[in-house]
Amino acid sequence: GTTLGGSAAEKGRYFGAAVGTYKFNDSTYMTVLNREFNSLVAENEMKWDATEPQRGSFSYGAGDRIVSHARSRGMSVRGHALLWHAQQPGWAQGLSGGDLRNAAINHVTQVATHFRGQIHSWDVVNEAFADGGSGGRRDSNLQRTGNDWIEAAFRAARAADPGAKLCYNDYNTDGINAKSTGIYNMVRDFKARGVPIDCVGLQSHLGTTIDSSYQANIQRFADLGVDVQITELDVMQGGNQANIYATVTRACLAVSRCTGITVWGVRDCDSWRGSDNALLFDCAGNKKAAYDSVLREL
Ligand code: XIL
């Protein structure tokens, strides 16, 4: 194929981008977006602070705009993210215990119900594991409501939108390490106990190297019976950028359960990583060497 989305589709995959509605009036941005990608995810518009700014009062306008743009162009939509320790509204940051648990589960139910039938895959829980060698959970207000908060969230999401694939999503899980093994053990436990989980998202915010066990890590999750999605790919610009992008793409395509790749933005200037120049298009919308290397692998 001649585009990322078109080539991925020929392999039964999607190739997506994170988008922000504040860029939807930028014609260079929209030209690249509409030409290259067949999946979208909201960079911020579906997070808790955006969708429930006051308790029990929901705000879906920006998220709906992304969904309707995607649907009008035949693109699928990833949902990001129902529960996360970051970008919580102030009112939720001030809650704890049973009150926070009820608010969190209600949030999952309301948001997943609003978007029911329109989301291909939801990041139900984002970044709940700790960095470093513990392999355990990250401390957070949600974690302090009880270790079962993650499975409660997945059950609520399944009930609200039975057609969506339900993902656990995290970073620094880009190889076989203590953190990814902690997640692996949770997924294995969920599968054994019938907790609904369908996919694991590997964010893949990468620097100048890639772990040699990247593909083996994807494979071990697939072997548990869940899909894997590369959900927030970006790679620091440097001598290795094009090679690292190619390695990620090749690894995903080598595992049949690796169903799609999303890059975390369109052009370098749209990226949360600023001067890392971490994306596939330069600020003028031109294809970079990294773009060519991805397309060659697709
Ligand atoms: C980032 C967005 O790109 C920024 O615009 C925002 O200010 C902060 O969040 N992991 C995630 C994403 O799961 O939601 C984060 O997105 C990047 C890290």
Side-chain angles (χ1 to χ4, degrees), residues 81 106 154 165 173 185 285:
N106 181 59
F154 275 82
K165 291 196 180 288
T173 51
N185 289 335

Side-chain angles (χ1 to χ4, degrees), residues 193-206:
R193 291 190 296 112
V195 178
I197 185 167
D198 307 302
C199 36
V200 170
L202 306 179
Q203 291 185 10
S204 302
H205 294 295
L206 300 176

